[in-house]
Amino acid sequence: MSKPKVGFYWCASCGGCEEAVVDLAEEILGVVEAVEIAFWPVAMDFKRADVEAMRDGELAVTFLNGAIRTSEQEEMAELMRRKSQVLIAFGSCSHLGGVPGLANLFDKEAIFENDYRTVPSVADGDGTRPLEETKVREGTLHLPAFRDTVRTLDQTVEVDYYLPGCPPPVRLVREALAAILAGKLPPKGAVLAPDVALCDECPRKPSKPDKLLIKEFKRPHQITLDPEECLLAQGLLCLGPATRSGCDAACISANMPCTGCLGPTGRVRDYGAKALSAIASGLDANVEEEIAALMDGVVDPVGTFYRYSLPASLMRRKVRPAVEGKEGERT
Ligand code: SF4
Ligand code: SF4
């Protein structure tokens, strides 16, 4: 009997999600035994033409990581969707936009102006920019179009499941593979991780006070941490109250606060708003000036509360300035 075919692909990604697959270590041998890896260009010599030659739905499952920024990534997302029975958004970037999604604070023009003209490491500064078409003696060279806005995978094509995390914890990858191989996937649209907040599985939960009284935000290098006490109670901005569990509190165990990579629990529409509200409810401040002074201690609020989820948020991106005859827009 032929084995089910599986694909892995990456879009706007750092490569960490591919490492998460490799982190299965020897368990990957069991996976290879049960499935045929039919497309994984990071690890093996596959070409886009190999997928194009497949019939629609030939891949049983595709794990696609990375956000969607360029025309090539849109094309690949559409191709993988067509060729896959089940498409899984793998990792924060694919799920919620991830760290590359913070670029939605700028548009293409601002990014190109900075990266190719004003950034100090550009030596000649002659303003040369990547072009979608370049004529050379041998013909025309093409580069993918760079879009204004970073999108999540499900803002591009229909997605069946989400494997959250930056990168997804090995335990969740293992459990998802087991569910796929046993044909026991939950209803379509599910996030393949527990639907409870991280605080519920955190070993420091017993020391988290019912009523937090945060007087000042501190950063990990500014204090000597108690290795047992709740980090939020010690003044570190830990986003465990707003973040889905499933990581076995790996960062907390290393004395680092949760930064929210597994995204929100199922009932939350906007992760950053939920995180902000969870933290705000623990402030020991009642009047506006006190609250503002305390929040001044949050370095980079967007990068803190929307680090992994700006494209998936209600805001999606910074509004473009209005131009004459046209309102500012967010698309
Ligand atoms: S989710 Fe994290 S590990 Fe995966 S590609 Fe994005 S930044 Fe890298
Ligand atoms: S706030 Fe952070 S350290 Fe405290 S219980 Fe929740 S996850 Fe653990």
Side-chain angles (χ1 to χ4, degrees):
M1 205 175 82
S2 62
K3 298 177 190 176
K5 291 183 181 172
V6 173
F8 297 94
Y9 192 67
W10 61 351
C11 288
S13 138
C14 74
C17 281
E18 309 283 346
E19 295 286 345
V21 179
V22 177
D23 279 350
L24 285 168
E26 64 269 20
E27 288 175 51
I28 203 158
L29 298 175
V31 176
V32 175
E33 194 120 302
V35 303
E36 176 188 338
I37 297 179
F39 189 59
W40 193 10
V42 169
M44 293 174 242
D45 187 19
F46 290 108
K47 303 286 186 247
R48 175 170 167 161
D50 298 329
V51 187
E52 286 169 339
M54 292 177 190
R55 60 184 155 65
D56 288 357
E58 187 166 331
L59 291 166
V61 188
T62 289
F63 297 84
L64 199 151
N65 73 78
I68 309 293
R69 154 71 89 181
T70 67
S71 57
E72 184 200 32
Q73 289 157 358
E74 290 162 8
E75 287 163 23
M76 284 307 294
E78 282 159 15
L79 180 64
M80 299 314 291
R81 172 66 280 180
R82 208 166 59 245
K83 302 295 178 182
S84 311
Q85 292 164 39
V86 172
L87 181 64
I88 299 183
F90 189 84
S92 309
C93 298
S94 184
H95 175 206
L96 302 168
V99 173
L102 285 172
N104 283 357
L105 292 171
F106 310 93
D107 59 14
K108 172 179 167 175
E109 177 55 30
I111 291 170
F112 277 20
E113 180 63 16
N114 180 66
D115 292 6
Y116 295 99
R117 188 184 280 277
T118 54
V119 78
S121 54
V122 173
D124 57 6
D126 69 354
T128 305
R129 291 178 174 197
L131 299 172
E132 286 169 37
E133 284 194 356
T134 307
K135 302 252 186 266
V136 292
R137 198 157 33 98
E138 294 79 3
T140 306
L141 301 174
H142 296 273
L143 279 178
F146 186 95
R147 306 293 191 213
D148 246 355
T149 300
V150 174
R151 283 182 288 152
T152 63
L153 185 59
D154 70 3
Q155 288 166 350
T156 312
V157 293
E158 195 177 336
V159 166
D160 298 304
Y161 296 101
Y162 304 85
L163 240 172
C166 181
V170 172
R171 165 162 78 99
L172 296 187
V173 180
R174 189 189 302 127
E175 287 171 3
L177 285 168
I180 292 164
L181 293 173
K184 289 188 176 159
L185 278 166
K188 190 172 155 162
V191 176
L192 304 176
D195 197 9
V196 290
L198 174 62
C199 288
D200 281 356
E201 71 171 34
C202 178
R204 303 191 193 212
K205 186 183 174 190
S207 62
K208 184 178 173 210
D210 290 339
K211 173 105 187 85
L212 283 156
L213 289 170
I214 303 167
K215 296 183 191 323
E216 183 191 0
F217 288 112
K218 298 172 196 129
R219 304 184 78 187
H221 63 278
Q222 293 174 318
I223 49 171
T224 304
L225 284 166
D226 180 320
E228 314 266 315
E229 193 189 355
C230 168
L231 295 172
L232 201 46
Q234 296 183 66
L236 292 192
L237 219 162
C238 182
L239 297 181
T243 304
R244 189 183 283 264
S245 73
C247 57
D248 298 323
C251 297
I252 313 290
S253 308
N255 252 352
M256 290 302 289
C258 170
T259 56
C261 75
L262 271 89
T265 52
R267 293 157 301 282
V268 174
R269 169 63 188 87
D270 186 310
Y271 174 82
K274 170 72 184 175
L276 184 56
S277 125
I279 296 301
S281 66
L283 301 184
D284 187 15
N286 296 310
V287 295
E288 209 168 308
E289 293 74 26
E290 281 175 8
I291 295 168
L294 236 161
M295 290 308 285
D296 275 349
V298 178
V299 180
D300 184 10
V302 180
T304 299
F305 295 109
Y306 287 99
R307 181 172 304 181
Y308 305 96
S309 65
L310 186 56
S313 71
L314 291 167
M315 293 181 287
R316 283 193 70 182
R317 60 159 298 118
K318 188 171 177 179
V319 179
R320 287 191 202 78
V323 288
E324 211 179 320
K326 204 173 170 209
E327 282 185 10
E329 56 180 2
R330 225 184 268 280
T331 52

